[in-house]
Every structure is written in C-alpha cells, then in structure tokens.
Amino acid sequence: MTEVPQYIKEKKVIRQQYFLRGNAACPGCPIPKELDLLLEVMGKKTVLVVPASCSTVIMGDIHGSPSTVPVVHSAFAAAAAIASGLSRELKIKGDDAKVVVWAGDGATGDIGFATVSGAAERNEDILYVCYDNEAFMNTGIQRSSLTPYGAWTTTTPAGKREFKKPLPFIMMDHKIPYVATASIAYPFDYQAKVRKAKDVQGFRYVHLLSPCPPGWRFDSSLTIEVAKLAVETGIWPLFEVINGEFNLTGISKVLIDKSKRKPVTEYLKLQGRFSKMSENDIKIMQNAVDAMWDYITELVKR
C-alpha cells in the first residue's frame, strides 16, 4: 500500500494559492481555478485588466478581492485599449510587469472586438485571455456570437440558429506572434501555453473554453467532464500557432483521425441547453465539426 505523504497527514497546504478561495463564483465555475493556474505561471508582477463579466463579480469589491495581483476593472469594450496603454506606460517607467486581459466571450468577440482587433493589429505587448463560457452569463444568459449552434439561451429559447464565431482562427489571421486554445480539463497543456505566451513579445491570444454549469444546464460536479468531452469530440480542438506555424497539442494530435473522435452527442447529452436539438440539428453540428477538422488538416499540412 502506498504510504500517505506527511504533508497530507498534517493537512498542510501543498501549493500556494494565486487566486484565493472563498470568492463569489458559482458552484462548479472553472474561472477561479483558471485564474489560479494563469497567475501561478505569470507571477506576482502581473496586472489584470478585467472588463464587465462574471469575473467582475468574482473579483469582489471594496470589502476584499481573491486576486493576489492588481486588477483594473474596465468598461466592456475598453479592456484591450486600457491594457495597451498600461503596457506602454510600464515600459516607459522601466517596469517589466506583464499586462494580461482576462475577458469573457461577449467582451472579446462582440462588444469589445474592435479594440481587441485594433490592439492585435498594432501588435501591442499584452497577453489576452478569453475565457469563453459561450454567452453573456452574468447578465442573464443572453446569446453571444460565440454561443454554439443549437444552444438554448434566454434570447434563443428555441436554440441558436447561427454557428459559433471561430474567434481563435480569426485572431490567427491577425498574424500575431502567438495564438492558442486551451481547456481547464487539460491544465498542464493550458499552463504550458501561458508559459510560452509569457515570454513572447507582442500580442498573444489564448482562448480558453470555460464550461458554465448554470448557463449550460449541467450539474456542477460535471465541469471537467464536460470540458474534456468538448476536446474528445473535436468540438474544441487544442492547438497553438507560433509566428504562423500551426500545431495541434495534447490529445488533439490524434483526433485529426476522425475515427478517434467521439460523436458530438456524447458532449451534447450532458447539457440541458442542447435538449431541444432535433436529430437533424445534431447532424448539422456533427458535419460542422467535421468540416472544421478538414480545415485544421489543411493547416497542419502547410
């Protein structure tokens, strides 16, 4: 029998917390752990810029914050512009602190997209992380452009009819130095990408799929299972693009073989937001995923 380590017997904390527990996140929300893993890599000399989102609530108020680094709260559309200014000002002062935007899908792909695209086009020296929970969750689960096809939201009661905006690929077309996708189900892959992005000069973009139990209508104990199935079905491919060179990472390397991918129904059936999808809707979604992988196959061959 394996001996129980002394630190467990003594119930000591075995790892420093970079984003503190006891915050205002919903049960099962991955955002605190995603931030904890991010800050473990980025370190104390980090400034977070957070536009209006679930994270604004999680960050607390004047009575206290779980963040161990400075946080700048911004208007929905202004995060990338504020981060650009902060990064330039810190450089003028000779401060090597890193500036990180931590923004949801609505602030990134919809309301704030103009400033995100502008900062990318100027190649501002910032790391932009989009935690994508696929809707405007903190204001009542309204659809965003990154809500997937067929998903229920309060503004798509019969299921969304449009497809999810392919934002990581759009950012790739900005010719920025670093683009990556990540998942909380694969924390080492996620941290490896943040580590690479930290040392790159210029605009770096990491897109993190962030399952939301109340918005996606699944039990809060299933967050990691849902995140894992998103990758295993091929709906959420893990990849990185370094100076234009595209590479699949982790388990996604083998999923380029269609026979290795699980059917999308394995992912859909755990989530109440997809419960109104018809058989034809599911077929349309499966075809869309397969078409995306055809595109990925072409990118890998380049």
Side-chain angles (χ1 to χ4, degrees):
M1 181 178 176
T2 305
E3 184 179 353
V4 177
Q6 193 62 31
Y7 61 77
I8 293 180
K9 291 179 179 176
E10 296 175 358
K11 297 182 179 178
K12 287 185 177 180
V13 175
I14 60 174
R15 177 181 169 280
Q16 180 180 350
Q17 292 291 304
Y18 294 84
F19 194 80
L20 304 179
R21 298 171 182 170
N23 52 65
C26 298
C29 174
I31 293 173
K33 178 50 68 178
E34 292 165 349
L35 277 165
D36 187 45
L37 295 171
L38 173 88
L39 294 176
E40 183 180 31
V41 174
M42 295 303 296
K44 295 288 186 182
K45 294 203 72 175
T46 301
V47 179
L48 291 175
V49 180
V50 180
S53 62
C54 293
S55 292
T56 304
V57 179
I58 295 170
M59 288 293 176
D61 55 23
I62 58 173
H63 301 292
S65 171
S67 177
T68 57
V69 302
V71 178
V72 177
H73 290 284
S74 83
F76 242 131
I82 289 172
S84 300
L86 272 174
S87 176
R88 292 187 181 210
E89 181 64 17
L90 287 168
K91 278 186 171 53
I92 290 171
K93 291 184 175 180
D95 193 322
D96 61 356
K98 303 291 185 182
V99 179
V100 178
V101 177
W102 179 262
D105 50 293
T108 304
D110 294 322
I111 299 172
F113 184 68
T115 57
V116 175
S117 180
E121 187 270 335
R122 297 190 304 273
N123 198 26
E124 299 284 354
D125 190 21
I126 61 176
L127 170 59
Y128 194 107
V129 181
C130 173
Y131 68 94
D132 181 4
N133 53 23
E134 300 190 322
F136 289 86
M137 295 304 184
N138 69 316
T139 54
I141 318 176
Q142 296 91 359
R143 59 97 78 187
S144 77
S145 63
L146 275 77
T147 300
Y149 176 84
W152 167 93
T153 67
T154 54
T155 49
T156 55
K160 191 184 173 194
R161 295 296 93 190
E162 300 79 23
F163 289 100
K164 181 183 178 80
K165 184 184 285 186
L167 201 50
F169 295 107
I170 292 172
M171 296 311 297
M172 187 177 75
D173 285 342
H174 280 69
K175 313 296 184 190
I176 54 180
Y178 190 81
V179 177
T181 58
S183 165
I184 189 62
Y186 300 90
F188 299 128
D189 178 82
Y190 168 42
Q191 283 197 309
K193 288 166 176 171
V194 173
R195 195 169 291 112
K196 285 183 185 177
K198 179 182 179 182
D199 295 329
V200 172
Q201 291 292 309
F203 195 95
R204 297 91 78 193
Y205 181 83
V206 176
H207 199 120
L208 184 60
L209 188 66
S210 194
C212 172
W216 295 14
R217 297 295 193 251
F218 65 82
D219 187 271
S220 60
S221 67
L222 298 176
T223 301
I224 300 302
E225 181 66 18
V226 170
K228 192 177 177 185
L229 280 169
V231 175
E232 291 176 341
T233 56
I235 287 175
W236 190 249
L238 298 176
F239 65 81
E240 64 181 357
V241 187
I242 305 175
N243 294 320
E245 184 175 335
F246 183 98
N247 285 294
L248 292 166
T249 66
I251 188 177
S252 291
K253 289 179 183 177
V254 300
L255 299 181
I256 200 164
D257 178 353
K258 184 179 177 181
S259 68
K260 305 292 185 186
R261 300 197 293 267
K262 293 182 177 179
V264 296
T265 49
E266 296 297 309
Y267 174 71
L268 304 178
K269 69 184 182 183
L270 291 183
Q271 303 172 57
R273 63 175 176 158
F274 294 118
S275 62
K276 294 182 179 178
M277 288 181 76
S278 65
E279 289 298 318
N280 190 52
D281 285 333
I282 294 171
K283 185 178 179 182
I284 289 171
M285 193 164 187
Q286 182 67 67
N287 289 341
V289 171
D290 292 342
M292 177 183 66
W293 277 90
D294 289 342
Y295 176 59
I296 287 173
T297 301
E298 292 301 315
L299 292 173
V300 171
K301 289 178 181 176
R302 289 180 187 174

